[in-house]
Amino acid sequence: MSTISKKICLFGDFGVGKTSLIRQFVECKFSDEYLSTVGVKISRKLVKVYQKNLYDEQNLQLLIWDIEGSNKFKAVAQNYFQGSRGAVIVGDVTQPETLNHIQEHIQTFLAVNPKSYIVVALNKSDMIAAEYLEKIRKMYQFNEPNNILDTYITSAKTGNNVDEIFQTLATRLI
Ligand code: GDP
Ligand code: MG
């Protein structure tokens, strides 16, 4: 079976858990230490994508770009977006201002790749009570129906919905 490669980007405010989500997905590991990302780091992971016919599976190599997202580097970040058909935009449920920036991050990404797909990850769900999580998810619904596939409550610590965000994106990339 042939393997195709697709580039995806993780983007969001500083400290929301982008590097941790990638680490959980690729290595099944989590660390409480802050793993500072300078510029960009690229990880790979092979996933299987099932198409309409259940027997029709496709190997997909995800090239996952971990992009440092501070505003100072916005123009640089946009260069890193080139050639990417998908993105995970990440916010932190314990820091509301990071959730308020998600819409702007979506626009920044779509300005470079207007036909791309986006999954939103509301991360660090392990730190908030379940009843608040549902409220937060309802509050943060994003508009672009052609681009935004879904919004997930995630935890890089417990692994909650981590495979799902990448799998949802992967399914639409082929
Ligand atoms: P980045 O700047 O977006 O790449 O954020 P990091 O992945 O480096 O995470 C920043 C801090 O938040 C680190 O101390 C992580 O251990 C912590 N962190 C990341 N994701 C989670 C999570 O889902 N739950 C908890 N409890 N902590 C997290
Ligand atoms: Mg990082």
Side-chain angles (χ1 to χ4, degrees):
M1 195 195 309
S2 67
T3 298
I4 50 177
S5 291
K6 295 283 177 186
K7 169 180 174 179
I8 65 170
C9 296
L10 266 81
F11 196 54
D13 285 4
F14 182 78
V16 295
K18 300 177 294 295
T19 303
S20 300
L21 286 167
I22 295 170
R23 193 151 183 248
Q24 179 62 260
F25 179 60
V26 174
E27 300 172 40
C28 301
K29 282 186 190 151
F30 176 78
S31 158
D32 279 314
E33 279 157 49
Y34 183 77
L35 313 159
S36 173
T37 312
V38 178
V40 63
K41 183 182 174 224
I42 304 167
S43 309
R44 312 158 185 267
K45 175 146 170 164
L46 194 64
V47 296
K48 279 200 188 325
V49 177
Y50 297 91
Q51 293 169 308
K52 279 169 222 125
N53 176 348
L54 258 185
Y55 302 103
D56 198 6
E57 60 175 44
Q58 169 75 53
N59 281 334
L60 176 63
Q61 166 109 271
L62 286 179
L63 303 174
I64 307 170
W65 288 49
D66 183 2
I67 295 168
E68 186 193 23
S70 79
N71 265 342
K72 238 193 318 182
F73 300 111
K74 196 165 163 182
V76 179
Q78 281 182 301
N79 291 333
Y80 291 135
F81 293 161
Q82 298 287 345
S84 173
R85 290 251 345 268
V88 180
I89 309 289
V90 187
D92 174 350
V93 293
T94 70
Q95 300 184 72
E97 73 276 15
T98 70
L99 303 176
N100 294 331
H101 294 156
I102 290 175
Q103 187 65 52
E104 191 189 327
H105 294 314
I106 291 170
Q107 299 310 336
T108 306
F109 187 76
L110 289 179
V112 179
N113 300 306
K115 289 193 175 147
S116 56
Y117 294 110
I118 289 174
V119 172
V120 176
L122 308 177
N123 192 42
K124 306 197 189 179
S125 65
D126 58 285
M127 299 185 75
I128 297 259
E131 70 252 41
Y132 291 121
L133 288 174
E134 202 36 47
K135 277 187 195 149
I136 289 171
R137 208 175 66 84
K138 288 205 177 105
M139 271 174 71
Y140 291 93
Q141 300 283 340
F142 302 96
N143 283 330
E144 295 73 9
N146 297 327
N147 303 100
I148 299 181
L149 301 176
D150 214 336
T151 299
Y152 288 95
I153 300 274
T154 64
S155 169
K157 187 167 188 172
T158 67
N160 178 34
N161 276 336
V162 175
D163 287 354
E164 284 78 357
I165 52 176
F166 290 99
Q167 198 65 45
T168 297
L169 208 48
T171 305
R172 296 300 288 269
L173 293 182
I174 55 169

